[in-house]
Amino acid sequence: MTKSLTRRGLLLAAAAALPGMASATDIYDIDPADEVPRWFSVQHFLSLDENQLYKVNLAIKRGRPIRIGNYTRSESRKIIKAARENPEAVRAQLSRAAGSGS
């Protein structure tokens, strides 16, 4: 009788601990792509640093639709990919486009 009560107690304690363990692991499963907004103004996109550009590029690779200003999704995707490769050239191009009203 004592063994069954002890076993029941241990099983109940283990079962009670399982939900807490599952939620603790969820904390570490944060996806940086979830922090990326779906729309950027041209000025905000131009102010992104290298780490932020990485997160935006990661979000696109994971299928998240992102738009920059009045550009289409596909144009925005090309801009973001180009910005990872050559950020200064893209910044200059977008600055000229924003200055001309595009």
Side-chain angles (χ1 to χ4, degrees):
M1 178 114 171
T2 307
K3 287 183 181 179
S4 63
L5 285 177
T6 305
R7 287 182 186 160
R8 284 184 192 161
L10 288 174
L11 286 174
L12 285 173
L18 287 177
M21 290 172 53
S23 64
T25 57
D26 291 341
I27 293 171
Y28 299 107
D29 292 340
I30 296 172
D31 185 4
D34 292 338
E35 301 171 359
V36 176
R38 295 182 185 269
W39 183 85
F40 289 95
S41 68
V42 174
Q43 292 77 19
H44 185 221
F45 184 76
L46 291 173
S47 70
L48 296 178
D49 64 16
E50 187 176 338
N51 186 39
Q52 292 167 325
L53 277 175
Y54 170 79
K55 288 180 181 180
V56 171
N57 195 40
L58 181 64
I60 284 193
K61 286 181 180 178
R62 293 185 178 171
R64 186 165 187 173
I66 296 177
R67 291 190 57 198
I68 300 170
N70 292 328
Y71 293 99
T72 64
R73 284 188 199 169
S74 61
E75 291 170 333
S76 298
R77 192 170 36 251
K78 289 176 186 174
I79 292 169
I80 292 166
K81 287 181 180 180
R84 283 286 294 157
E85 295 169 9
N86 191 354
E88 295 307 318
V90 171
R91 284 188 172 113
Q93 181 182 5
L94 285 176
S95 295
R96 282 193 301 269
S100 67
S102 299

